[in-house]
Amino acid sequence: SAVISQKPSRDICQRGTSLTIQCQVDSQVTMMFWYRQQPGQSLTLIATANQGSEATYESGFVIDKFPISRPNLTFSTLTVSNMSPEDSSIYLCSVEAGTGPYEQYFGPGTRLTVT
Amino acid sequence: GQNIDQPTEMTATEGAIVQINCTYQTSGFNGLFWYQQHAGEAPTFLSYNVLDGLEEKGRFSSFLSRSKGYSYLLLKELQMKDSASYLCAVKLNTGFQKLVFGTGTRLLVSP
């Protein structure tokens, strides 16, 4: 299993500003995933972050808006840039761990409200 | 594109049995996961199916038919604490083998 922490747990931000979300895992993992969960919705994958390489973004998400860092095997950050109210969501970090079936473990999430 | 459908909402009574269905059409398949998510919390892993058939785990069972693109999660002896959202997710066998999540089913268990 994996224990994941995220900071901040929640924030209220003004439009036009940026917020960086941190994700820390208690073990070394190859891949980390960032998801968005809009109110009342399911999870949508933003990007996959491999250590030492550029993140791979899903359709509809771009690096300028959601830059990601992955400096080592236990840590990643996601920045939500130039925020608008439509960015109000829960952002979750996830890792794949275990000996099979390599289930994904999720962090507690960061609840972002943009005013 | 990827398409994973679940009913939006279901209600059931404490002690009863409920079946939550999931149908999928994806561009690859390397297993199907069910997650439980209580309001305001992160999703937690419930079950995994990669071969056809039924996997039982206590009060929860999950079934998969790959030829039909169909799975269900069966919850027995429902308890109030089972009120949550249940997310079906397909693991793709391409690229990073990412998880694609369904729309989620909100289950409300009443006394």
Side-chain angles (χ1 to χ4, degrees):
Chain A
S1 66
V3 177
I4 305 170
S5 59
Q6 284 185 237
K7 287 182 187 178
S9 58
R10 59 177 62 227
D11 208 340
I12 300 173
C13 301
Q14 291 193 341
R15 70 173 70 208
T17 62
S18 298
L19 176 73
T20 296
I21 302 167
Q22 298 179 7
C23 176
Q24 180 76 52
V25 190
D26 69 341
S27 56
Q28 294 185 336
V29 293
T30 304
M31 288 191 289
M32 296 177 82
F33 305 89
W34 286 98
Y35 288 86
R36 181 173 75 181
Q37 188 171 30
Q38 293 177 305
Q41 305 289 314
S42 189
L43 279 70
T44 302
L45 182 64
I46 298 171
T48 302
N50 256 348
Q51 192 266 336
S53 62
E54 294 278 332
T56 301
Y57 289 83
E58 296 299 305
S59 175
F61 297 96
V62 294
I63 187 170
D64 289 346
K65 175 69 176 176
F66 297 101
I68 288 172
S69 80
R70 183 78 204 274
N72 58 51
L73 290 172
T74 63
F75 186 79
S76 177
T77 66
L78 169 77
T79 299
V80 186
S81 303
N82 188 24
M83 287 184 283
S84 67
E86 292 71 37
D87 295 320
S88 297
S89 285
I90 299 172
Y91 292 85
L92 296 117
C93 164
S94 170
V95 304
E96 197 172 76
T99 55
Y102 300 107
E103 66 208 58
Q104 282 193 12
Y105 294 85
F106 288 86
T110 296
R111 186 179 294 270
L112 171 62
T113 302
V114 184
T115 60
Chain B
Q2 324 294 350
N3 201 32
I4 303 174
D5 286 321
Q6 303 176 235
T8 304
E9 205 167 278
M10 298 181 72
T11 58
T13 308
E14 206 173 6
I17 299 173
V18 71
Q19 177 175 312
I20 303 174
N21 295 326
C22 170
T23 58
Y24 64 90
Q25 284 180 302
T26 57
S27 58
F29 181 85
N30 196 22
L32 188 142
F33 292 77
W34 283 95
Y35 282 83
Q36 180 190 60
Q37 186 177 28
H38 284 101
E41 297 182 12
T44 54
F45 170 78
L46 285 179
S47 70
Y48 169 74
N49 296 70
V50 68
L51 300 175
D52 288 354
L54 189 68
E55 294 281 341
E56 296 189 73
K57 218 180 189 183
R59 294 190 299 116
F60 293 2
S61 303
S62 57
F63 171 83
L64 175 68
S65 168
R66 288 172 299 170
S67 62
K68 294 181 180 175
Y70 168 69
S71 174
Y72 68 71
L73 180 70
L74 193 72
L75 293 77
K76 302 175 194 170
E77 301 167 20
L78 279 174
Q79 302 174 9
M80 298 294 289
K81 66 178 183 179
D82 297 329
S83 292
S85 288
Y86 292 85
L87 309 175
C88 166
V90 171
K91 188 168 204 174
L92 303 184
N93 59 356
T94 55
F96 291 117
Q97 299 198 19
K98 63 188 182 187
L99 277 184
V100 179
F101 280 83
T103 47
T105 299
R106 211 169 103 186
L107 174 66
L108 179 63
V109 180
S110 57

